Amino acid sequence: VLHRLVQHGDGERRVRLEKRSRSIGLDLCNERGVALVRSIHRSAAAAIGDEIRPGDVVRSVDGQVYFTCEAVVEVLRSHRKGEISLGLLRAPAAASPPPEPSADWSEA
């Protein structure tokens, strides 16, 4: 279900963030190969507001679609400081159980 969600992108919304240091303040987890937001660092919570929630699927970075958690993490880590645009999908509740990461992909 999650891979189909990423593939089709229905309901994708863009959120613009500022990368001021190594991190944009998100911890991601690998849920069936897809990058899910596990948590939001306190330092980023005020800037992010309610636009990003735990359980959201990261589908794209700067308009480029990524189909694996590893690819999303790699591009976020290598992204220079400045504005970054995330394409997010809100997974249906049935498709997205509370994330329990098989691998910790704390975004750098």
Side-chain angles (χ1 to χ4, degrees), residues 7-98:
Q7 183 177 13
H8 297 289
D10 295 334
E12 180 179 11
R13 60 194 198 294
R14 298 217 184 256
V15 175
R16 295 192 183 279
L17 301 172
E18 189 72 23
K19 184 174 182 179
R20 297 172 192 236
S21 63
R22 284 188 30 187
S23 174
I24 59 171
L26 300 177
D27 282 328
L28 303 179
C29 66
N30 185 345
E31 181 66 37
R32 298 181 195 123
V34 175
L36 255 64
V37 175
R38 180 175 67 182
S39 63
I40 301 166
H41 297 192
R42 287 184 201 174
S43 60
I48 292 172
D50 195 34
E51 293 184 273
I52 302 175
R53 296 182 190 163
D56 283 353
V57 175
V58 180
R59 179 177 189 260
S60 64
V61 179
D62 291 333
Q64 176 66 44
V65 176
Y66 295 95
F67 292 97
T68 67
C69 183
E70 292 88 351
V72 170
V73 170
E74 182 179 325
V75 75
L76 289 175
R77 286 182 175 162
S78 66
H79 199 283
R80 294 182 181 165
K81 292 180 183 177
E83 187 175 88
I84 188 167
S85 172
L86 297 180
L88 300 169
L89 298 166
R90 191 128 308 146
S96 176

